[in-house]
Amino acid sequence: MPLPIATQSVPIRDFAHRMRAGTTEFRRANRALFIGGFSTFSLLYCVQPLMPLFAREFHLTPMQSSLSLSVSTAALAIGLLIASVISDHLGRKPLMCAALFTSAVTTVLCAFAHNYSQLLLMRFVLGLVLAGLPAVAMAYLSEEIEPSSLGYSMGLYIGGSALGGMTGRVLASVLSDALAWRVAIAVIGMASFLAAIEFWRSLPNSTHFHKSRFNGPTIVAGLRSHFRDRGLPWLFLLAFLLMGCFVSLYNYMSFRLMEPQFGLRQSEIAAIFSLYLMGIFSSVWVGKLADKFGRRRVLWLVVSVMLAGLWLTLSNSLLLIIGGVALFTFGFFGGHCVASSWVGRRAMGAQALASALYLFFYYLGSSVVGSLSGVMWESNGWHGVVLALSASLLAALFIALHLRTLPLVTDDATVSQPPSM
């Protein structure tokens, strides 16, 4: 059955000179954004497997140790809105490069923290400066990549995020087990500095970006436009729920697997984090499916996969738990790929602001849901965490099903097939 077309007229965009698949510039952009996503998640989430070590060394509860991640994601959420405004004046590439270089240096400084308060302060600064890359990466892709290839490029960027998240966690686990958590953080920071150099060398300069001065009324108008859209606010809320659930599962899975029932070591838990490889595959594969069949037809399916994976982790079998985490990870990265590229397609103006709002709620969910799940862990253990995340994912599934009824936004992206919005 043909999908309904929006009756409201929408401005037509010029896609004539965007980067197309198969060109050198397209490959360079994808390589750079893959590296950027890799570094972002590696720097941000390298502390996640170290939370039990923080709890032991600094005499913390699991929820208190989770602040080492929550303060970063909260600062990142705030920084995203600021960075999106700054990028409209400075440009996309300069801001992303500065974010990667400064966040790498800040991570190295985290290794020299004398107490937990200092570590939290440096992690807050890290989140603030790191915001410059994710705030505009999706806007850069939406501006520079022609629409029929956008899902693939977005998938590669998110795939880089998945690989970075896995590598940061695995490397931190192994190095902390063999040496110390400070060594682990310092190594990840130095490696990210080298990655920042390659990002700067590879990323093509923007050709469809136009600098603009800070204009308060324009920003307010952009906010009103995005929140009045029939789809964008739902996508923002979906980002909040999906990311909050994803971070919560990995936050407290380490604590569960170190309990006497399983008794895994840090280096053994690192193998669990290798399931991030599922995200690399799913983000690219699901992105292609969304380009072909439409985002509305794919989104609710990957959210359902997350829910099924979550329920599998209730088992006392380590094999079933690993399978559940794999399904959960597959569904999350697929869902994030679909939702984030959908934001880029629906936002007909103020692209960077739309991307920043999506990621603001995305990382805000990481902080809020991640902390609330800690309360459930301390009161009801893993069953409490699953209960809280199930409620969140059921709400996300309702949103995904509601988005299936959304009138389409049409533009020149609809080439020879029905619109995939």
Side-chain angles (χ1 to χ4, degrees):
M1 178 183 295
L3 295 176
I5 304 298
T7 57
Q8 183 177 2
S9 62
V10 181
I12 301 298
R13 300 184 200 166
D14 174 24
F15 297 113
H17 304 292
R18 306 290 172 102
M19 285 183 272
R20 295 180 177 272
T23 64
T24 300
E25 294 293 291
F26 181 81
R27 288 191 292 269
R28 286 179 57 202
N30 283 332
R31 179 171 67 249
L33 269 298
F34 184 90
I35 291 171
F38 181 99
S39 294
T40 299
F41 266 54
S42 178
L43 292 169
L44 192 60
Y45 292 105
C46 64
V47 297
Q48 199 168 44
L50 304 179
M51 290 176 186
L53 301 182
F54 295 155
R56 188 182 312 151
E57 179 171 336
F58 298 114
H59 309 292
L60 309 169
T61 66
M63 188 179 69
Q64 289 172 329
S65 67
S66 73
L67 290 176
S68 58
L69 178 57
S70 294
V71 296
S72 297
T73 53
L76 184 61
I78 297 170
L80 286 168
L81 300 179
I82 300 172
S84 66
V85 175
I86 294 175
S87 74
D88 286 337
H89 178 67
L90 294 181
R92 310 300 191 211
K93 182 176 179 178
L95 185 61
M96 288 190 285
C97 290
L100 285 181
F101 280 112
T102 54
S103 58
V105 172
T106 305
T107 298
V108 174
L109 293 177
C110 286
F112 298 94
H114 293 294
N115 52 54
Y116 193 57
S117 296
Q118 289 184 6
L119 178 63
L120 291 182
L121 176 61
M122 295 308 299
R123 289 287 298 174
F124 181 86
V125 174
L126 167 71
L128 209 56
V129 298
L130 186 60
L133 189 135
V136 297
M138 291 195 300
Y140 175 92
L141 289 173
S142 297
E143 291 168 351
E144 305 300 328
I145 304 295
E146 60 95 17
S148 65
S149 303
L150 180 59
Y152 176 75
S153 295
M154 198 72 74
L156 282 177
Y157 168 61
I158 295 173
S161 301
L163 183 61
M166 183 205 74
T167 303
R169 288 166 166 91
V170 171
L171 191 60
S173 294
V174 173
L175 288 178
S176 64
D177 212 10
L179 299 170
W181 67 264
R182 297 180 187 274
V183 175
I185 289 180
V187 168
I188 291 171
M190 290 185 288
S192 296
F193 189 85
L194 297 177
I197 295 175
E198 181 59 29
F199 178 89
W200 170 73
R201 291 179 62 244
S202 298
L203 187 69
N205 293 323
S206 298
T207 57
H208 291 80
F209 165 75
H210 302 285
K211 291 186 178 182
S212 61
R213 295 181 179 180
F214 176 81
N215 189 321
T218 299
I219 294 173
V220 171
L223 288 170
R224 287 177 178 171
S225 173
H226 294 330
F227 281 104
R228 285 175 178 172
D229 183 85
R230 293 181 61 181
L232 288 176
W234 290 109
L235 290 169
F236 299 155
L237 180 56
L238 188 70
F240 178 93
L241 294 170
L242 294 185
M243 186 55 168
C245 290
F246 182 70
V247 166
S248 296
L249 182 133
Y250 275 95
N251 272 0
Y252 302 106
M253 182 60 73
S254 295
F255 287 98
R256 187 187 186 201
L257 295 179
M258 293 181 74
E259 289 181 333
Q261 181 182 4
F262 301 103
L264 300 187
R265 294 163 51 87
Q266 284 291 131
S267 55
E268 293 170 330
I269 292 175
I272 304 296
F273 291 119
S274 66
L275 293 174
Y276 256 59
L277 290 171
M278 296 294 296
I280 301 171
F281 168 72
S282 71
S283 59
V284 176
W285 186 66
V286 173
K288 288 182 176 180
L289 286 181
D291 285 340
K292 184 176 181 179
F293 298 108
R295 289 157 180 81
R296 64 181 60 224
R297 295 171 177 170
V298 174
L299 183 57
W300 73 273
L301 291 173
V302 289
V303 174
S304 299
V305 169
M306 283 186 72
L307 192 58
L310 174 67
W311 288 341
L312 272 180
T313 65
L314 287 170
S315 171
N316 291 323
S317 166
L318 184 60
L319 186 61
L320 286 178
I321 290 174
I322 293 173
V325 175
L327 279 177
F328 188 91
T329 304
F330 179 96
F332 167 74
F333 279 102
H336 175 40
C337 175
V338 173
S340 59
S341 62
W342 202 337
V343 169
R345 289 286 298 276
R346 283 203 68 86
M348 303 307 293
Q351 287 267 330
L353 181 60
S355 298
L357 285 170
Y358 174 86
L359 290 173
F360 171 79
F361 285 99
Y362 180 82
Y363 289 111
L364 186 64
S366 172
S367 297
V368 175
V369 180
S371 297
L372 292 177
S373 297
V375 175
M376 297 297 289
W377 166 265
E378 292 177 3
S379 60
N380 297 291
W382 186 249
H383 284 80
V385 173
V386 171
L387 179 62
L389 300 191
S390 294
S392 297
L393 286 179
L394 287 171
L397 181 59
F398 171 82
I399 292 172
L401 291 172
H402 171 72
L403 289 172
R404 286 174 57 87
T405 67
L406 202 65
L408 304 183
V409 171
T410 58
D411 54 28
D412 281 350
T414 58
V415 188
S416 58
Q417 52 184 307
S420 59
M421 285 299 292

